[in-house]
Amino acid sequence: MIEGRYFAMLGPPASGKGTQGRLLAERLGLAYLSTGSRLRREIEKGSDLGLRAKTYLDCNQYVPDDLAIELVHSWLSRCSEGWLLDGFPRSLVQARALMETPIIVGTSSDLPIQVIHLTVPAAELRKRVTTRRECSNCGATTTSDHQVCPKCGSAELIARADDSTEGFEKRLQSYQSLTLPALKVLQESLAVHTVSGLGSRDEVSLAIQEKLR
Ligand code: AMP
């Protein structure tokens, strides 16, 4: 039985955090936020947040910390029953914001947030990005073998613009230089479960559940 209700899922691009994050959130009945997928949707809509984020995503750079924190805080203020953040925190400033801010009004400040850290060797990540597809309708991730989204049935499966070779390498570099140091800091105060993201969707999901038990 998994006791936790508050999770952050981190991993390099194409490590499967979207797929595994959604699965775990569904299984535990948690609210789910992928900051990356929300930012892409806001850009498509042309919202104020989207306009502020666009230049950064176009250049395969992380958005500024204040923007990411604003997005997450506003989302967290609407859900207190348990949540999973996919792709946040990604920097030291974001990690501190998650640990220090009284993010959920009315709950204890020492919230037992657990971090799931997916690891996949870079060579495998490079292979995965070439076949990765994202559903424009529901945001689920799948591969180019599929004609329709296995989750919602939409035929709008697209390759992400930032999954180009150059885009991927830049994002991997940001992950290594900004997110890995943040993970170290998180480790000082929170439980960080490192899980190999190699294997089938169900194998990785099982490995995550075993770590959390
Ligand atoms: P993802 O879908 O998780 O690969 O995220 C796609 C892009 O969204 C990243 O390359 C960043 O530009 C941006 N992004 C998502 N989450 C964050 C975050 N927590 N901090 C900064 N930028 C983010």
Side-chain angles (χ1 to χ4, degrees), residues 112-193:
I113 301 171
Q114 300 185 62
V115 180
I116 300 159
H117 169 212
L118 285 180
T119 59
V120 176
E124 170 66 17
L125 297 172
R126 288 190 182 97
K127 262 197 253 161
R128 287 185 187 182
V129 281
T130 59
T131 57
R132 177 156 76 161
R133 297 292 178 270
E134 187 173 74
C135 175
S136 309
N137 183 45
C138 73
T141 303
T142 184
T143 63
S144 53
D145 301 337
H146 290 89
Q147 301 307 311
V148 295
C149 172
K151 192 147 190 287
C152 73
S154 163
E156 281 181 60
L157 298 179
I158 51 158
R160 279 171 47 172
D162 57 2
D163 275 348
S164 64
T165 305
E166 191 206 342
F168 168 76
E169 295 299 336
K170 255 182 118 171
R171 288 185 298 133
L172 183 61
Q173 236 224 305
S174 300
Y175 179 78
Q176 287 164 342
S177 60
L178 300 171
T179 307
L180 287 181
L183 258 165
K184 276 211 164 136
V185 165
L186 289 166
Q187 226 149 10
E188 289 164 13
S189 319
L190 305 177
V192 175
H193 308 281

Side-chain angles (χ1 to χ4, degrees), residues 17 35-36 39-40 61-63 87-88 90 94 160 171:
K17 61 188 160 54
T35 46
L39 287 168
R40 285 190 290 281
Q61 277 174 12
Y62 283 1
V63 300
F88 185 96
R90 264 171 146 116
Q94 294 178 23
R160 279 171 47 172
R171 288 185 298 133

Side-chain angles (χ1 to χ4, degrees), residues 14-31:
S15 56
K17 61 188 160 54
T19 303
Q20 295 301 330
R22 275 169 199 274
L23 261 180
L24 187 64
E26 265 170 32
R27 185 176 293 272
L28 300 181
L30 308 172

